[in-house]
Amino acid sequence: MSGPNGHRSANETDGEAVSRLRKFVRANVAMSEFLDRALPFRLRIDGNRTFATEIAPPFLTPNARVYDLGGGARPFVSLPEKQRLRLFVVGLDLDAHELSKAPRGIYDEEIEADLTSFQGRGDADVVICQATLEHVRDGEGALRGIASCVKPGGVVAIFSPSRNAVFARLNRALPEGLKRRLLFAIYPEKGKGHDGFPAFYDKCLPSEVEVIAKRNGLELIERRLFWKSSYFYFFVPAFLAWRIWLGVSALLLGKDAAETYAYVFRRRQ
């Protein structure tokens, strides 16, 4: 719509700029994904999706008591799945308001608490902690709290980004407001997840997680390392630089160079 002098409104101009940005991002993402297909499949696995669909679900057995740590408004288990398996789900989050936004009936018990200082009852069959560790200021305290929730023989399933991931380094370096504006401008869909919350990545290296878990009575059952994240696909030169950096880092740092990782631990008897 034009103004009284025939000039287009600021909203119309802004809308066109956003539309052009979306087209630019889509084109670069398509090219980056095309180039990515030249790499081995193991380097192209989405860790978050794999954790949610393959790693954690097999441990959700009928009548299990499940602790969802940090799930808040976006619990790991869906309501139909909870009802089908007759699960008892405990939701723990730092913010009670986040818990209140979860689907009605998903949590049988809600706990507003800081995971870094929380002392659990040791009664969980399964503990799920998905994309939460990076958001706590005290990673060791959080892992101690996680271990305190699970009963002997119970299982802990964790998914987290690594502190050494390039996006994690940028996350720590950029001002909070700036990085949120950039992230949601390029990937508006990420505003629906945990990506908008402040991240600290304390004790978020795979090697650190393994040591702390063992110290707190958790035995390693499974470790999966993932070498993909979506943050740099929006601009092909950035994507290529990231992939090269990731390859060099893997040679130097081994498992601690992974972008994200998933662990399954069992509480010692």
Side-chain angles (χ1 to χ4, degrees):
M1 180 182 296
S2 299
N5 298 319
H7 298 294
R8 290 183 300 175
S9 67
N11 287 341
E12 186 178 14
T13 303
D14 290 345
E16 289 183 356
V18 170
S19 178
R20 285 195 296 270
L21 176 62
R22 296 280 184 270
K23 291 179 180 178
F24 175 83
V25 169
R26 286 196 296 268
N28 277 263
V29 167
M31 178 57 69
S32 296
E33 291 178 341
F34 174 77
L35 295 172
D36 224 15
R37 288 198 287 271
L39 297 176
F41 177 71
R42 67 181 183 84
L43 301 180
R44 297 184 281 119
I45 299 173
D46 184 300
N48 200 23
R49 183 180 301 118
T50 301
F51 179 82
T53 60
E54 298 178 19
I55 295 174
F59 298 103
L60 299 176
T61 55
N63 301 304
R65 179 177 288 262
V66 179
Y67 275 55
D68 189 333
L69 305 182
R74 294 163 292 277
F76 180 81
V77 180
S78 69
L79 190 56
E81 185 73 357
K82 175 197 170 179
Q83 293 170 341
R84 183 179 71 83
L85 294 173
R86 302 181 302 280
L87 304 175
F88 186 96
V89 181
V90 179
L92 182 145
D93 200 278
L94 184 64
D95 187 351
H97 181 60
E98 283 294 310
L99 291 168
S100 71
K101 293 189 291 184
R104 179 183 291 273
I106 191 68
Y107 295 130
D108 297 286
E109 182 182 354
E110 297 179 2
I111 302 175
E112 181 184 11
D114 185 342
L115 183 59
T116 64
S117 58
F118 180 69
Q119 179 60 45
R121 300 184 291 254
D123 60 346
D125 297 294
V126 183
V127 172
I128 303 290
C129 186
Q130 183 182 24
T132 296
L133 276 183
E134 71 270 28
H135 297 293
V136 302
R137 294 181 181 273
D138 177 8
E140 183 161 4
L143 285 162
R144 187 166 54 245
I146 290 170
S148 74
C149 293
V150 65
K151 68 183 183 182
V155 168
V156 172
I158 295 172
F159 172 81
S160 175
S162 172
R163 181 180 176 86
N164 281 337
V166 177
F167 70 84
R169 295 175 183 270
L170 289 174
N171 206 347
R172 300 196 303 276
L174 295 176
E176 193 66 35
L178 174 61
K179 67 188 179 187
R180 286 170 61 91
R181 287 196 296 273
L182 288 173
L183 177 65
F184 298 151
I186 298 170
Y187 297 115
E189 70 278 3
K190 288 188 178 292
K192 300 176 183 178
H194 289 174
D195 299 88
F197 297 138
F200 308 100
Y201 303 97
D202 184 63
K203 300 296 187 298
C204 257
L205 293 178
S207 59
E208 294 173 324
V209 171
E210 290 180 22
V211 169
I212 298 170
K214 183 177 181 181
R215 192 183 299 151
N216 286 277
L218 299 178
E219 297 177 331
L220 177 61
I221 301 299
E222 182 180 3
R223 176 183 66 209
R224 295 280 300 274
L225 304 176
F226 303 102
W227 306 91
K228 177 179 179 176
S229 57
S230 61
Y231 293 98
F232 300 103
Y233 286 64
F234 76 98
F235 187 45
V236 172
F239 162 80
L240 292 173
W242 162 68
R243 274 301 189 191
I244 293 169
W245 174 265
L246 190 57
V248 173
S249 298
L251 293 175
L252 298 175
L253 302 175
K255 64 186 176 185
D256 282 345
E259 291 284 284
T260 60
Y261 54 84
Y263 278 100
V264 178
F265 297 102
R266 192 178 304 277
R267 180 80 180 187
R268 287 197 292 265
Q269 295 288 347

